Amino acid sequence: MDAVDAVFRAIGDPTRRAILDELTDRDGQTLFEICTRLAMKHGLTSSRQAISQHLAVLEEARLVHTRREGRYKFHHLDTTPLRSILERWPIREQS
Amino acid sequence: MIRINITSVYVDDQSRALAFYTDLLGFVPKHDIPLGEHRWLTVVSPKEPDGPELLLEPSAHPAAAPFKEALVADGIPFTSFAVDDVHAEFARLSAAGVRFVQEPTDMGPVTVATLDDTCGNLIQLATMKS
């Protein structure tokens, strides 16, 4: 899949946008923390497997990357791919 | 009437577990009885010395290691304990060198944090909001 397509596909889903919201709130979370936040703060009842698949889509778009630290695995936010959107359609100042 | 008198965590090393669960977490020893190559080793809350006991059970079964590793990799706590102030416990335990994989987090009715017990488990600390 084209890199731009991957970004639009990734952010075209409310659960994945909620994951990005929560990683914006605190960067570097375990899968369990992400699942708990989605359930408690967003009322989302997706299974852990479903959240894992959402994270894989976000990783494919390079919006999320994982970091292994010993036996732990943390998920980090990278908003760099979103820059292509603003570069393509710059926001004009209102006159 | 049925009631809960004991629950377990599977620990890699009973001696290290006893030190961690008493010296750091603040439980007190209850029973320590030699049992074959291991011990029947339990701790209790100092607030409830006759309350439910936590059994520090050896994770010697071959299935225990992959199970525990899979939980840790996904950040899943094996069990959860109640504390009066999870923020204060986080500060105190972090200063003592305890590794948290989740800092205190507001989850609506409860604030939680998750630590590594150094015996192969993640443990959640939870403070219910009054």
Side-chain angles (χ1 to χ4, degrees):
Chain A
M1 195 188 312
D2 179 84
V4 175
D5 288 347
V7 170
F8 281 98
R9 180 182 171 227
I11 61 177
D13 175 272
T15 299
R16 291 197 284 272
R17 292 195 294 273
I19 291 171
L20 297 180
D21 290 341
E22 291 307 318
L23 288 175
T24 302
D25 184 53
R26 179 154 78 214
D27 196 31
Q29 295 181 35
T30 63
L31 176 60
F32 175 79
E33 179 171 353
I34 292 170
C35 291
T36 311
R37 283 169 172 255
L38 293 177
M40 298 298 289
K41 298 171 74 176
H42 299 265
L44 293 169
T45 53
S46 312
S47 68
R48 185 173 295 119
Q49 288 78 3
I51 301 302
S52 258
Q53 285 166 3
H54 282 307
L55 284 165
V57 173
L58 289 165
E59 273 192 75
E60 192 184 341
R62 300 182 183 279
L63 287 163
V64 166
H65 67 93
T66 57
R67 177 175 59 87
R68 283 218 171 256
E69 185 189 324
R71 300 176 306 128
Y72 323 126
K73 183 180 171 188
F74 296 104
H75 299 80
H76 291 267
L77 178 67
D78 182 358
T79 53
T80 310
L82 298 178
R83 185 178 292 148
S84 65
I85 297 174
L86 280 179
E87 286 173 351
R88 184 167 173 178
W89 297 295
I91 298 168
R92 295 204 185 103
E93 295 300 323
Q94 300 287 334
S95 54
Chain B
M1 194 196 308
I2 197 163
R3 62 191 183 88
I4 296 169
N5 69 330
I6 198 160
T7 184
S8 301
V9 286
Y10 296 104
V11 297
D12 297 344
D13 181 303
Q14 286 187 299
S15 296
R16 192 167 69 235
L18 182 62
F20 186 89
Y21 279 79
T22 57
D23 298 345
L24 285 163
L25 291 189
F27 290 104
V28 292
K30 178 87 175 190
H31 290 116
D32 188 350
I33 303 163
L35 199 70
E37 60 177 320
H38 300 296
R39 300 143 75 182
W40 180 263
L41 182 63
T42 71
V43 297
V44 290
S45 166
K47 196 176 176 183
E48 296 175 313
D50 298 316
E53 296 175 43
L54 179 68
L55 178 66
L56 303 175
E57 191 167 1
S59 50
H61 192 283
F67 169 67
K68 291 170 69 178
E69 283 163 17
L71 292 184
V72 170
D74 282 343
I76 301 171
F78 186 82
T79 191
S80 179
F81 301 120
V83 292
D84 293 335
D85 181 348
V86 70
H87 291 280
E89 288 298 317
F90 170 72
R92 181 183 73 81
L93 291 167
S94 295
V98 174
R99 176 73 167 93
F100 279 79
V101 299
Q102 182 182 350
E103 295 184 11
T105 310
D106 185 337
M107 293 291 185
V110 69
T111 304
V112 296
T114 305
L115 60 83
D116 187 324
D117 78 351
T118 72
C119 299
N121 305 292
L122 300 178
I123 298 293
Q124 183 166 275
L125 301 181
T127 300
M128 295 297 292
K129 288 177 193 163
S130 48

